[in-house]
Amino acid sequence: MLTLYGQELRSRLLLGTARYPSPAALEDAVRSSATEIVTVSLRRETAGGRQGGAFFDLIRSLGVHVLPNTAGCHSVAEAVLTAKMAREVFGTNWIKLEVIGHQDTLQPDVFGLVEAARILCAEGFEVFPYTTDDLVVGEHLVEAGCKVLMPWCAPIGSAMGPQNIPALRAMRAHFPDMPLIVDAGIGRPSHATTVMELGFDAVLLNTAVAGATKPALMASAFARAIDAGRDAFEAGMLEPRDFAVPSTPVIGKAVFA
Amino acid sequence: MKLTVNGEDHDLTVTTLAELLAALDFEGDWLATAVNGELVHRADRSAHSLSDRDRIEILSPMKGG
């Protein structure tokens, strides 16, 4: 069982709600993934418009926890205000905190991230920070009050999969009791299995599912891959060896010559 | 008075944030509002007076990753 800010969860898959071909495709993907947390955002409503209402109704009908984000924010002030507005709309203290530092790579501005996390934690938010795999940044986020860390494993939407496995392994070892969620860069189920085998607690996906030819089927594939990786981590895996080891017992083998 | 709403300039005869929302036909319990970079809670919109050149943001739920 995964516990995030006191909330117990059976699923270790967090699912984004963007880039699906239709609202029905999003709904199907959420249901087939069995996710219990979806991410959402806030954007300007058009005058006289009702755009947000239909989406809000769809999200509420799914019966899952909502994790609003501060995607697109490039400053501490923007991220903090967006978080406060998200709490007003969604009625949750959870916030996926993004402070973007680079336009092309969407790499987090980790200095702004720590500053924004400190402000929001002090105001009662439960912060899920989108960060890098840097241990020192992670320590500062924990000191700021974060009780979850969400490192990237590759740039957002890149589908490249884990680019620095030793760094992810070090992060797991450095924060043994902290829920760690890989937030970005996963492209295929085997990537998710890999990070779960390293001992990460969960995976947050969006583009890898929404961009698939059959999003609902891919959501299901990811759910099973994540569970397989988690089971493997808990079961205890063999370390690779440089030599062969016979699996069939040698003692008692017949001698024919 | 001259107001900037979601980045667009408006010239409106309103005195409060609640009146502005009504004048521009915004409604729904899913809206969040901010004036000059500060959150204005739903319950405070009727009492929040606007001033010339105020910048208002009106946000609503959107898909996100």
Side-chain angles (χ1 to χ4, degrees):
Chain A
M1 191 76 85
L2 173 64
T3 302
L4 301 174
Y5 286 107
Q7 180 64 55
E8 292 191 339
L9 302 153
R10 289 181 302 279
S11 170
R12 292 176 179 272
L13 192 167
L14 289 72
L15 194 61
T17 55
R19 306 177 69 120
Y20 291 84
S22 68
L26 163 62
E27 190 172 354
D28 289 345
V30 168
R31 298 205 189 287
S32 65
S33 71
T35 186
E36 293 168 278
I37 300 175
V38 295
T39 57
V40 296
S41 68
L42 285 180
R43 287 292 181 267
R44 285 173 168 171
E45 179 67 284
T46 54
R50 303 285 180 268
Q51 294 178 352
F55 179 71
F56 197 36
D57 289 343
L58 169 61
I59 293 301
R60 285 195 287 199
S61 74
L62 296 172
V64 295
H65 299 283
V66 174
L67 176 58
N69 69 27
T70 63
C73 292
H74 288 253
S75 72
V76 173
E78 273 185 309
V80 169
L81 177 57
T82 302
K84 290 177 179 176
M85 296 179 83
R87 180 158 67 178
E88 172 90 349
V89 170
F90 296 107
T92 176
N93 286 325
W94 285 9
I95 190 73
K96 179 189 168 189
L97 182 60
E98 299 185 27
V99 182
I100 300 301
H102 192 275
Q103 192 65 44
D104 295 331
T105 64
L106 299 181
Q107 179 164 350
D109 168 4
V110 294
F111 306 99
L113 179 68
V114 171
E115 186 180 343
R118 184 168 288 116
I119 293 168
L120 291 172
C121 289
E123 296 201 18
F125 283 88
E126 295 172 327
V127 176
F128 295 63
Y130 160 62
T131 184
T132 66
D133 52 25
D134 189 294
L135 298 181
V136 180
V137 173
E139 284 182 348
H140 282 285
L141 288 168
V142 171
E143 182 269 331
C146 296
K147 293 182 171 54
V148 176
L149 296 175
M150 301 211 299
W152 68 354
C153 76
I156 293 173
S158 69
M160 293 196 297
Q163 296 297 293
N164 193 346
I165 286 177
L168 294 176
R169 186 176 282 126
M171 199 163 193
R172 179 69 286 174
H174 197 74
F175 299 102
D177 302 318
M178 178 71 56
L180 298 178
I181 301 171
V182 169
D183 182 8
I186 297 282
R188 51 186 62 191
S190 57
H191 296 157
T193 305
T194 296
V195 299
M196 294 302 292
E197 285 176 352
L198 294 175
F200 278 74
D201 295 281
V203 170
L204 197 161
L205 302 165
N206 192 154
T207 310
V209 171
T213 305
K214 298 179 180 178
L217 183 58
M218 186 60 82
S220 170
F222 265 108
R224 285 175 281 144
I226 288 166
D227 285 346
R230 181 64 189 183
D231 286 351
F233 172 71
E234 290 183 354
M237 289 166 288
L238 297 182
E239 289 302 317
R241 304 175 192 184
D242 290 333
F243 48 88
V245 179
S247 51
T248 302
V250 176
I251 296 172
K253 177 182 176 298
V255 178
F256 296 114
Chain B
M1 78 182 112
K2 295 187 185 307
L3 301 168
T4 303
V5 181
N6 285 352
E8 293 183 358
D9 293 332
H10 291 266
D11 198 345
L12 297 164
T13 308
V14 294
T15 56
T16 66
L17 180 57
E19 287 178 18
L20 170 72
L21 291 173
L24 294 181
D25 197 25
F26 283 102
E27 63 177 50
D29 62 358
W30 59 83
L31 298 174
T33 50
V35 177
N36 299 330
E38 296 290 334
L39 172 70
V40 179
H41 290 290
R42 189 178 296 119
D44 298 334
R45 289 175 191 155
S46 296
H48 190 99
S49 298
L50 295 176
S51 302
D52 198 42
R53 310 285 177 186
D54 273 352
R55 293 172 291 106
I56 297 103
E57 292 287 332
I58 303 168
L59 306 187
S60 68
M62 178 61 68
K63 47 203 171 184

